[in-house]
Amino acid sequence: MKNIRNFCIIAHIDHGKSTLADRLLQATNTISEREMMDQVLDDMDLEREKGITIKSHAIQINYKHTDGQEYILNLIDTPGHVDFSYEVSRALAACEGALLLVDATQGIQAQTISNLYLAIDNDLEIIPVINKIDMDGAMIEEVKDQIIELIGCKPEDILLASGRTGIGVDGILQAIVERIPAPKGNPQEPLQALIFDSVFNSFRGIIVYFRVLNGTIRKGDIVKFVSTDQDYEAAEVGILKLKMTEKKEVSAGDVGYLITGIKNAKEVKVGDTITLKNNPTQEMIKGFQEVKPMVFAGIFPVNTDEFEELRDCMDKLQLNDASLTYELETSQALGFGFRCGFLGMLHMEIIQERLEREFDQTVITTVPNVSFIAYTTKGEKIIVNNPTQFPDPVKTDRIEEPYIKAQIITKPEYIGNIMTLCLGKRGILLNQSYLTTTRVELQFEMPLTEIVFDFYDKLKSQTRGYASFDYHPIGYRESDIVKMDILLNSDKVDALSALIHRARSQDFGRKLCEKLKELLPRQQFQIAIQAAVGAKVLARETISAMRKDVTAKCYGGDISRKRKLLEKQKEGKKRMRQIGNVEVPQEAFLAVLKLDD
């Protein structure tokens, strides 16, 4: 055990985590030249296309140190985006140390700080590394000063490296062995292992990834999952190389996988403890914190008869992405579906893409919103996750919405743009401080509702990509929230309803009506599109009817003949409007997400 090291790589998005992981694998000959490709651990198509890591990836490296001893290094490459911080927290729970990567051209950014605090909370040994030192714009001395100020280390503790060219990789491997403590634990004690991830394989069932804290797990053992209280036979155990490598046993301090042939996704919970049936451990491992979804949206199958299939796919996807939460929901417009909780808009987009790619499910996503708390006049507390749960305004005493504390790090020339953006989103400036002469940190308190839609994109465009953004929830505050309904010929379309601040409702309603006018196909009858709050209509657009020229066959003759035909047409249109219903195309639901403010 003294020769095992468990570590992960943490950094802001795009600071070169996956590239450095490639070099570590190459330097230790874990991967042959033939298998080598850029970002080799990002095995999902989506990750390659978007150039981001979505899932944490674990891999075992064998390293021969200069002291002649063989070491086993378990590396976990983590995502950098704020929406996937839950992945990072799970990776940290399986490690003793972390490489904190900082881009020499960008310096410390918001995610660097938040991921660092996560690591410190888990008592990890931090090894600071400045990456991309071969770039033309590298500011090595400035970035060193920033790191020393942030974590209070000595200048000689900071390693310099380049993930692209491989400079400094040997120094990093030596530092991992020398600075990161070996895992504590006893292979002779009862088995105690933490599940930190799982994936679904259509041939083998569910594959569980775990980290053993105490004891040993062997092939053929009868294991027990503590929180579900189920027993299984360990059909195969092993370690994670680039491909899974079977072993007879995996013991304390190591990271491995377990196949038991479980088919039901509900039986595996991330953060659960695995132990042996005949010699169980007395205490459960303190798992991770419960995931708190930030954004809620409905996901519905395009064809209502595909609902059961979608349910299976959601179960399998949740295995691989523990931060996805969902429950059943029905909508008059869309039938049966799910109310899903996501950690952010990028997370929602990724889940939708993965459903379409990995499971061939075409889905309709409703307007995303956050959860509010409504207090009735009788003093009851109602949690409102979607507009249909919104209580009657007459019986409502007050409504509270979630607030977040946002931390934005940028260059001084963009302060004005960021102020305008955040104050326009009902933000309150808390603090402004200069980290260095060229970097300034702004802290705001803002309603989460305002951030959900397009805040991140706007921030990037206002600052030419130079701002980094991180946030955490700080509780609920009273607010003037109203429910805005969209009516088509006086019928509510529940999937287009939105909960919105009263001050923004008129503007939002007008834009939405204009957008729907473009997207809804014309019918034989007139369609009125209205946005209303309660009984008050805020905006209206009208789609005129398609008309057949019924008087074309009249050549000359009395005007009364033409009038008779037109009156007959008018009556028909009236009747049609009473029984005709308006089909809302899928684009209309998506258009709401892309409304430009």
Side-chain angles (χ1 to χ4, degrees):
M1 252 183 73
K2 66 181 194 317
N3 286 10
I4 295 177
R5 301 287 183 272
N6 297 317
F7 72 101
C8 59
I9 305 179
I10 54 175
H12 187 79
I13 189 167
D14 211 17
H15 278 205
K17 292 178 293 299
S18 301
T19 311
L20 184 70
D22 291 351
R23 293 296 86 76
L24 292 172
L25 298 179
Q26 249 182 331
T28 53
N29 296 325
T30 306
I31 291 183
S32 66
E33 287 299 322
R34 195 168 64 84
E35 293 172 305
M36 193 64 214
M37 54 181 176
D38 286 346
Q39 284 86 36
V40 67
L41 292 179
D42 291 351
D43 50 11
M44 221 186 289
D45 291 345
L46 260 179
E47 292 181 313
R48 300 196 153 280
E49 280 168 32
K50 292 185 180 288
I52 56 174
T53 304
I54 293 166
K55 285 287 302 167
S56 293
H57 300 276
I59 188 164
Q60 190 170 97
I61 298 172
N62 293 71
Y63 170 60
K64 198 171 171 83
H65 192 255
T66 45
D67 62 9
Q69 296 205 28
E70 281 271 342
Y71 287 88
I72 292 173
L73 313 180
N74 290 310
L75 152 70
I76 302 181
D77 179 26
T78 63
H81 196 281
V82 60
D83 282 10
F84 304 115
S85 55
Y86 188 62
E87 281 286 329
V88 181
S89 72
R90 288 170 22 210
L92 294 171
C95 295
E96 276 86 33
L99 295 181
L100 178 72
L101 226 58
V102 182
D103 184 331
T105 59
Q106 307 263 353
I108 282 174
Q109 293 187 283
Q111 231 54 51
T112 318
I113 297 173
S114 66
N115 286 344
L116 172 70
Y117 287 154
L118 276 176
I120 291 172
D121 288 347
N122 282 343
D123 287 339
L124 299 197
E125 177 66 35
I126 309 288
I127 300 179
V129 179
I130 299 181
N131 193 22
K132 305 192 186 177
I133 57 167
D134 59 318
M135 300 274 281
D136 293 340
M139 309 172 292
I140 297 170
E141 292 308 316
E142 288 176 39
V143 176
K144 260 191 187 174
D145 294 343
Q146 291 176 19
I147 294 176
I148 291 165
E149 202 171 308
L150 181 66
I151 59 178
C153 63
K154 298 190 184 77
E156 57 269 21
D157 290 346
I158 301 171
L159 303 174
L160 302 180
S162 161
R164 198 179 51 166
T165 57
I167 303 168
V169 168
D170 288 339
I172 291 174
L173 287 164
Q174 285 184 23
I176 290 165
V177 169
E178 287 157 17
R179 294 197 215 169
I180 294 177
K184 298 179 180 66
N186 185 343
Q188 266 58 57
E189 281 187 21
L191 175 67
Q192 194 185 27
L194 171 77
I195 300 178
F196 69 89
D197 207 352
S198 51
V199 289
F200 184 81
N201 180 311
S202 42
F203 303 109
R204 312 291 309 265
I206 291 165
I207 302 171
V208 175
Y209 296 159
F210 61 86
R211 154 81 200 272
V212 187
L213 297 189
N214 284 308
T216 303
I217 181 168
R218 295 179 180 82
K219 184 175 177 174
D221 280 348
I222 303 297
V223 294
K224 177 179 172 188
F225 287 16
V226 178
S227 68
T228 53
D229 203 23
Q230 300 273 7
D231 303 337
Y232 309 98
E233 184 190 345
E236 185 181 314
V237 295
I239 54 168
L240 298 155
K241 291 278 195 181
L242 190 56
K243 302 207 166 41
M244 293 184 297
T245 309
E246 192 174 348
K247 287 271 192 223
K248 290 211 166 39
E249 60 178 46
V250 178
S251 64
D254 224 335
V255 174
Y257 72 89
L258 164 71
I259 297 176
T260 55
I262 307 172
K263 288 283 191 282
N264 183 359
K266 293 272 184 290
E267 294 174 32
V268 178
K269 287 189 169 59
V270 167
D272 194 2
T273 305
I274 308 174
T275 186
L276 293 178
K277 186 185 177 188
N278 52 10
N279 183 13
T281 178
Q282 294 312 306
E283 57 175 313
M284 274 188 76
I285 300 167
K286 298 283 178 287
F288 319 106
Q289 74 275 37
E290 277 295 299
V291 56
K292 293 188 186 70
M294 293 282 187
V295 175
F296 294 86
I299 286 188
F300 294 86
V302 174
N303 299 329
T304 41
D305 46 354
E306 287 172 5
F307 170 70
E308 284 300 328
E309 202 179 320
L310 181 63
R311 182 197 297 226
D312 285 348
C313 297
M314 295 292 279
D315 278 350
K316 288 170 187 168
L317 194 54
Q318 192 181 31
L319 265 180
N320 197 236
D321 187 346
S323 48
L324 169 68
T325 55
Y326 63 89
E327 56 191 42
L328 285 178
E329 182 182 50
T330 50
S331 150
Q332 296 155 356
L334 300 170
F336 287 106
F338 297 98
R339 185 94 205 143
C340 302
F342 308 100
L343 295 182
M345 289 295 277
L346 177 70
H347 187 210
M348 174 175 139
E349 191 186 314
I350 296 288
I351 291 289
Q352 202 176 338
E353 285 259 341
R354 287 184 70 182
L355 279 171
E356 291 188 6
R357 290 185 182 207
E358 294 172 29
F359 302 101
D360 283 340
Q361 292 290 316
T362 317
V363 291
I364 296 174
T365 314
T366 62
V367 188
N369 61 292
V370 301
S371 64
F372 299 90
I373 297 178
Y375 292 91
T376 61
T377 43
K378 292 180 182 170
E380 296 167 340
K381 177 178 169 183
I382 302 168
I383 293 179
V384 181
N385 278 343
N386 67 346
T388 48
Q389 297 168 339
F390 200 72
D392 185 346
V394 181
K395 298 176 184 163
T396 311
D397 176 36
R398 68 183 192 281
I399 289 159
E400 294 183 351
E401 65 174 336
Y403 264 70
I404 57 148
K405 185 174 180 182
Q407 176 192 37
I408 299 170
I409 297 178
T410 186
K411 291 188 167 184
E413 59 257 39
Y414 301 119
I415 292 178
N417 293 359
I418 291 176
M419 292 273 198
T420 313
L421 175 66
C422 294
L423 298 177
K425 298 271 189 191
R426 297 191 282 134
I428 305 156
L429 179 67
L430 294 181
N431 192 1
Q432 174 181 336
S433 58
Y434 279 81
L435 302 172
T436 64
T437 50
T438 56
R439 308 179 69 70
V440 60
E441 178 188 13
L442 300 165
Q443 289 186 341
F444 288 92
E445 282 183 355
M446 298 174 76
L448 186 59
T449 336
E450 300 287 342
I451 282 182
V452 161
F453 275 105
D454 54 355
F455 178 78
Y456 200 63
D457 297 340
K458 281 228 169 77
L459 181 68
K460 286 288 181 207
S461 59
Q462 296 278 7
T463 60
R464 302 199 184 127
Y466 274 111
S468 63
F469 169 69
D470 183 41
Y471 63 85
H472 59 266
I474 51 170
Y476 284 77
R477 296 185 188 173
E478 192 172 337
S479 189
D480 189 6
I481 299 291
V482 291
K483 178 185 176 189
M484 193 178 75
D485 292 307
I486 296 293
L487 311 173
L488 296 181
N489 282 349
S490 308
D491 288 338
K492 284 183 187 174
V493 182
D494 61 350
L496 288 174
S497 298
L499 297 173
I500 193 163
H501 194 265
R502 194 182 295 274
R504 300 279 302 276
S505 58
Q506 187 150 6
D507 195 31
F508 185 74
R510 197 171 60 245
K511 284 182 180 152
L512 197 50
C513 288
E514 285 167 8
K515 195 80 176 170
L516 287 171
K517 183 179 180 181
E518 290 169 27
L519 291 167
L520 291 180
R522 285 174 67 185
Q523 307 280 352
Q524 295 282 343
F525 50 92
Q526 188 182 16
I527 305 171
I529 307 167
Q530 292 167 307
V533 169
K536 183 181 176 191
V537 175
L538 303 176
R540 172 183 169 130
E541 293 285 339
T542 308
I543 300 178
S544 51
M546 288 193 291
R547 286 187 50 190
K548 184 180 169 192
D549 187 0
V550 286
T551 57
K553 61 184 178 185
C554 299
Y555 49 93
D558 196 338
I559 184 71
S560 59
R561 286 178 62 197
K562 289 187 180 178
R563 190 163 289 146
K564 185 176 153 193
L565 288 168
L566 289 168
E567 286 298 324
K568 191 176 168 190
Q569 184 188 31
K570 200 167 158 188
E571 282 300 311
K573 293 254 183 259
K574 216 178 206 171
R575 229 184 3 260
M576 197 185 283
R577 185 172 170 180
Q578 284 165 356
I579 59 164
N581 60 345
V582 184
E583 283 290 314
V584 182
Q586 189 177 346
E587 290 84 58
F589 296 110
L590 300 176
V592 185
L593 311 183
K594 298 194 168 60
L595 272 186
D596 289 331
D597 284 349

